Amino acid sequence: MKIGICSDHAGLEYRTKIISYLLSKGYEVANFGTDSAESCDYCDFAHPMAAAIEAGECQLGIAICGTGNGMAMTLNHHKGIRAGLAWNHAVAALVKQHNNANVLVMPARFVSYRMAVGMVKEWLENDFEGGRHQRRIDKIPVE
Ligand code: RB5
């Protein structure tokens, strides 16, 4: 499985460590930047990662910014993306189980790295439950 990952400057440190974590677990990783600590715009990294997921080049994605909201708002403009913001282990598990998020979004300025990597593990290791949750997901798109 190939996992895309992107961040702005606020998420750079966590992203770098999470890339190492994913590689150590045997995942393929596509890094969409930023690779600089300079202030930048999260959209410039979110859109290319979303496009790669929509094109099937990556199966899942992880996005990190200061609050997570800029990344989530940008990613969810893409029809093939369900980006879910998580801030603890339970929410990270539920965003897969109930929302089938294909992108996990995390707020680097409001969670520890230990929490962030724990959330990645929860999200990757849980499965979508389908059923009533699929019906709800089917009602999300606006034509
Ligand atoms: C950057 O300062 C910050 O605005 C950004 O990381 C994010 O929190 C936006 O939603």
Side-chain angles (χ1 to χ4, degrees), residues 68-85:
N69 277 314
M71 284 291 187
M73 289 178 188
T74 307
L75 290 160
N76 281 318
H77 275 271
H78 290 255
K79 287 211 178 301
I81 302 296
R82 280 181 309 284
L85 178 61

Side-chain angles (χ1 to χ4, degrees), residues 104-123:
L104 174 68
V105 185
M106 298 186 290
R109 289 180 174 154
F110 297 92
V111 297
S112 65
Y113 173 70
R114 187 181 162 87
M115 175 60 75
V117 75
M119 289 196 285
V120 169
K121 190 169 185 298
E122 289 288 337
W123 173 69

Side-chain angles (χ1 to χ4, degrees), residues 44-97:
D44 296 339
F45 309 95
H47 286 307
M49 187 182 82
I53 294 169
E54 289 180 310
E57 294 159 17
C58 297
Q59 286 67 58
L60 295 172
I62 294 170
I64 311 168
C65 66
T67 64
N69 277 314
M71 284 291 187
M73 289 178 188
T74 307
L75 290 160
N76 281 318
H77 275 271
H78 290 255
K79 287 211 178 301
I81 302 296
R82 280 181 309 284
L85 178 61
W87 53 91
N88 64 33
H89 293 165
V91 177
L94 285 164
V95 85
K96 175 69 80 60
Q97 293 167 339

Side-chain angles (χ1 to χ4, degrees), residues 2-29:
K2 188 182 270 191
I3 302 176
I5 187 164
C6 69
S7 77
D8 67 359
H9 53 290
L12 173 62
E13 185 187 337
Y14 283 14
R15 198 186 84 250
T16 304
K17 292 183 186 173
I18 287 169
I19 290 172
S20 300
Y21 170 78
L22 292 170
L23 293 173
S24 78
K25 296 294 178 191
Y27 293 102
E28 272 191 274
V29 176

